[in-house]
């Protein structure tokens, strides 16, 4: 398991997907930077989600600020309830989440870091929100938090959006943005980080209709993953029971992906009832009720939330894409991304650097680039150039060769099958678009 993850982390750095944050200073735990190819992959995932969630009549998008009034987090329950139980070592000062220690360590009070016995404290609640100050004074009156979820920016704007866009119930509000959690144990690459991106949607419904909308959104969200290349066979549901439920949730289901280190949550679908709007009414003293002009009632809606980590989904796409295989006695590493999320869609390669081939290839690049991310490479043996593109998951390589000079056709090589076919240059754009649209994973 560690082996696959180590190889993936190394590929991500070497090929410009993901870098350790502040690496030249030794890195900052739980923070990662997206390089040129990583940022494209992440953007493609976010675009796919945004289109699926907001290109419809009943959902609007917003982009709320990360810093919010501190009372928001009292109302939301995060100041009191967003905690992990944590144990300190009195000897070496290391800190652990209590569920990461074994029974034996807890009984002996033995620190897994320094090995000393009877040095562990009792568990204490540790709040996961990052704190900062707004303005020049660094006292309690200026204290603010970096948001631990994007959802609250939606709740406090519920009536603004409803009024501006003249919606009736049910309707939803979606947003993509950064969230921050001071996780005690960051782990597994992008899986649990301190800074990450969420894609959340809150769907406001009439009280009493939560169950039907909960089922509707569970199905919608489950079906979305195949479109970014994560198949059903790798996905599973996990229903939250009893004290697993977050403080705001009446019911919760996770969609999990089978990572090399085990099943891991990518998305949560939550029935939050009227907890959040009710608490914001209580703490702000302002009505957040929807006025139904037919029944003349003021309604406090219930909420179904879909909450997915963009960074975690990016990690699932990377893990899922990674393949090693043997071709003609050589090892081939290939990232089998769905072309929809692949950072580069096409590479254009002149077979040799003469006979006008680079010029023809450059013209093809200019033509394709108006609609697709294209990479141009004229350096080295063609086989090696194909391998470089396989390793970053570029689904199609277009080669300009001597036949091109005779009949204006090029070779299109497919990443997964490595099959090659000839296509007329003037039909190339439509051909590639068609291939992307109809792509199926190998074996289907
Ligand atoms: N608004 C509800 C909410 O935030 P959550 O289950 O705490 O619910 C939702 O988080 C999603 O955010 C998770 O399914 C996961 O994909 C992502 N996420 C949460 N904590 C994360 C972390 N520390 N690092 C990366 N992604 C995280």
């Amino acid at each position: 398991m560690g082996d696959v993850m180590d190889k993936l982390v190394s590929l991500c750095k070497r090929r410009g997907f993901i870098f350790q944050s502040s690496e030249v200073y030794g890195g900052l735990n739980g923070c990662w930077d997206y390089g040129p190819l990583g940022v494209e992959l992440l953007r493609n995932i976010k675009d796919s989600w945004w289109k699926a969630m907001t290109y419809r009549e009943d959902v609007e998008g917003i982009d709320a600020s990360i810093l919010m009034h501190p009372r928001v987090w009292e109302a939301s329950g995060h100041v009191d309830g967003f905690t992990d139980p944590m144990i300190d070592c009195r000897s070496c000062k290391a800190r652990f989440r209590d569920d990461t220690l074994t029974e034996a360590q807890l009984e002996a009070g033995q620190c897994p870091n320094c090995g000393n016995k009877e040095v562990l404290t009792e568990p204490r609640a540790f709040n996961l929100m990052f704190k900062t100050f707004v303005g020049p004074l660094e006292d309690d009156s200026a204290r603010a938090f970096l948001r631990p979820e994007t959802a609250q920016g939606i709740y406090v704007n519920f009536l603004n959006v409803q009024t501006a866009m003249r919606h009736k119930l049910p309707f939803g509000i979606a947003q993509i943005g950064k969230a921050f959690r001071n996780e005690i144990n960051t782990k597994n690459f992008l899986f649990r980080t301190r800074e990450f991106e969420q894609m959340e949607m809150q769907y406001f419904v009439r009280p009493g209709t939560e169950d039907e909308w909960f089922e509707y959104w569970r199905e919608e969200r489950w079906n979305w993953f195949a479109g970014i290349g994560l198949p059903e066979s790798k996905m599973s549901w996990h229903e939250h029971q009893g004290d697993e439920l977050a403080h705001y949730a009446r019911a919760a289901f996770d969609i999990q992906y089978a990572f090399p280190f085990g099943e891991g949550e990518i998305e949560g679908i939550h029935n939050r009832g009227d907890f959040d709007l009710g608490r914001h009414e209580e703490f702000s003293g302002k009505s957040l009720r929807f006025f139904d002009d037919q029944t003349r009632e003021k309604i406090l809606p219930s909420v179904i939330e879909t909450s997915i980590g963009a960074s975690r989904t990016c990690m699932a796409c990377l893990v899922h894409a990674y393949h090693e295989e043997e071709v003609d006695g050589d090892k081939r590493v290939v990232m089998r991304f769905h072309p929809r999320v692949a950072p580069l869609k096409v590479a254009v390669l002149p077979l040799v650097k003469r006979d006008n081939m680079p010029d023809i290839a450059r013209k093809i690049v200019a033509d394709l680039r108006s609609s697709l991310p294209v990479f141009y490479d004229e350096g080295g043996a063609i086989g090696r150039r194909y391998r470089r593109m396989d390793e970053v998951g570029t689904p199609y390589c277009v080669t300009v060769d001597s036949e091109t000079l005779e009949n204006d056709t090029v070779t299109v090589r497919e990443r997964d099958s490595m099959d090659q076919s000839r296509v007329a240059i003037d039909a190339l754009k439509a051909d590639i678009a068609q291939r992307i649209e109809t792509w199926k994973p190998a074996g289907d």
Side-chain angles (χ1 to χ4, degrees):
M1 176 282 271
D3 197 33
V4 174
M5 286 308 297
D6 290 350
K7 286 179 189 172
L8 186 65
V9 173
S10 151
L11 183 146
C12 282
K13 178 181 172 180
R14 194 161 28 86
R15 300 309 311 271
F17 283 91
I18 315 281
F19 307 125
Q20 196 184 13
S21 162
S22 328
E23 191 186 1
V24 291
Y25 290 98
L28 181 65
N29 218 343
C31 299
W32 297 89
D33 296 342
Y34 288 78
L37 299 190
V39 76
E40 282 294 325
L41 172 63
L42 184 67
R43 187 177 289 262
N44 293 338
I45 292 167
K46 290 192 285 186
D47 281 352
S48 167
W49 184 88
W50 189 256
K51 281 184 189 145
M53 299 301 281
T54 72
Y55 288 17
R56 37 186 293 157
E57 276 181 23
D58 57 346
V59 181
E60 304 289 349
I62 64 163
D63 188 0
S65 65
I66 289 174
L67 293 174
M68 300 180 74
H69 195 288
R71 293 275 286 165
V72 166
W73 305 108
E74 288 171 35
S76 70
H78 284 82
V79 169
D80 289 334
F82 196 53
T83 56
D84 268 350
M86 159 214 88
I87 290 178
D88 287 305
C89 170
R90 286 192 213 92
S91 175
C92 72
K93 310 290 176 217
R95 177 168 281 181
F96 312 95
R97 228 170 63 186
D98 75 344
D99 60 1
T100 63
L101 299 175
T102 63
E103 281 293 313
Q105 287 164 337
L106 288 169
E107 221 153 83
Q110 185 175 23
C111 171
N113 192 42
C114 66
N116 290 337
K117 290 192 172 161
E118 294 180 18
V119 289
L120 297 183
T121 63
E122 287 300 306
R124 283 184 295 140
F126 174 71
N127 196 294
L128 300 184
M129 283 195 294
F130 279 101
K131 294 158 198 72
T132 187
F133 298 97
V134 173
L137 289 179
E138 294 199 358
D139 62 18
D140 275 355
S141 67
R143 200 168 63 158
F145 301 96
L146 300 189
R147 65 183 178 197
E149 61 169 9
T150 64
Q152 299 303 324
I154 293 180
Y155 296 131
V156 297
N157 279 301
F158 159 67
L159 270 192
N160 287 337
V161 174
Q162 186 269 321
T163 316
M165 307 309 284
R166 301 175 55 236
H167 274 292
K168 298 198 183 316
L169 296 179
F171 78 96
I173 306 176
Q175 95 166 305
I176 299 177
K178 291 266 181 158
F180 303 83
R181 296 182 189 178
N182 198 2
E183 302 281 1
I184 301 169
N185 295 312
T186 57
K187 61 178 177 190
N188 292 329
F189 196 28
L190 306 177
F191 187 79
R192 190 177 306 285
T193 55
R194 295 198 165 114
E195 175 176 341
F196 54 97
E197 232 170 338
Q198 288 187 316
M199 309 189 284
E200 297 198 303
M201 194 277 309
Q202 315 297 316
Y203 203 69
F204 301 91
V205 307
R206 280 178 187 274
T209 64
E210 295 92 336
D211 290 350
E212 85 192 61
W213 287 112
F214 192 57
E215 289 314 311
Y216 170 83
W217 281 109
R218 277 184 56 193
E219 193 178 334
E220 284 288 298
R221 296 306 309 142
W222 178 263
N223 292 338
W224 176 77
F225 287 93
I228 56 163
L230 299 179
E232 284 200 344
S233 58
K234 287 280 185 172
M235 314 297 289
S236 59
W237 285 107
H238 168 72
E239 182 178 6
H240 285 222
Q241 308 284 350
D243 59 6
E244 253 188 297
L245 283 169
H247 60 272
Y248 50 72
R250 291 183 186 172
F253 277 83
D254 294 340
I255 298 178
Q256 308 180 123
Y257 176 80
F259 288 100
F261 47 81
E263 306 281 316
E265 171 193 346
I266 306 183
E267 171 154 8
I269 293 107
H270 310 131
N271 175 354
R272 294 179 74 135
D274 59 8
F275 175 84
D276 300 272
L277 290 181
R279 294 272 291 191
H280 285 306
E281 276 203 330
E282 186 188 330
F283 278 68
S284 69
K286 307 259 165 53
S287 168
L288 287 175
R289 279 160 205 253
F290 164 81
F291 180 65
D292 185 331
D293 50 13
Q294 269 165 7
T295 60
R296 317 298 295 169
E297 286 170 286
K298 284 189 154 187
I299 301 170
L300 190 64
S302 290
V303 171
I304 304 303
E305 169 184 68
T306 71
S307 172
I308 172 170
S311 335
R312 237 180 233 189
T313 309
C314 188
M315 162 125 171
C317 286
L318 285 164
V319 165
H320 191 69
Y322 188 87
H323 281 82
E324 283 176 14
E325 55 195 38
E326 207 174 289
V327 178
D328 301 332
D330 286 335
K331 186 174 103 174
R332 173 170 99 122
V333 173
V334 53
M335 295 295 280
R336 294 180 187 252
F337 293 122
H338 192 302
R340 210 172 278 142
V341 297
L344 298 165
K345 312 293 185 215
V346 190
V348 181
L349 320 169
L351 187 63
V352 288
K353 274 195 262 180
R354 56 184 154 74
D355 300 337
N356 208 26
M357 287 187 206
D359 286 347
I360 298 171
R362 288 278 187 203
K363 278 199 195 104
I364 294 174
V365 168
D367 184 41
L368 294 179
R369 199 165 265 159
S370 59
S371 54
L372 294 168
V374 185
F375 187 76
Y376 175 80
D377 187 6
E378 59 179 28
I382 191 72
R384 206 167 303 149
R385 279 183 272 165
Y386 285 151
R387 290 289 182 274
R388 286 203 291 261
M389 286 297 101
D390 292 342
E391 209 188 23
V392 295
T394 309
Y396 308 107
C397 285
V398 170
T399 309
V400 174
D401 53 21
S402 48
E403 208 179 318
T404 311
L405 310 178
E406 289 162 20
N407 62 12
D408 289 332
T409 63
V410 286
T411 301
V412 177
R413 172 194 182 264
E414 298 207 335
R415 174 197 67 199
D416 301 334
S417 62
M418 294 181 285
D419 287 347
Q420 304 195 2
S421 49
R422 290 212 76 86
V423 177
I425 292 177
D426 56 11
L428 190 58
K429 209 173 193 170
D431 177 88
I432 301 275
Q434 167 80 1
R435 286 174 198 254
I436 293 175
E437 204 46 48
T438 56
W439 181 87
K440 293 254 181 312
D444 269 25

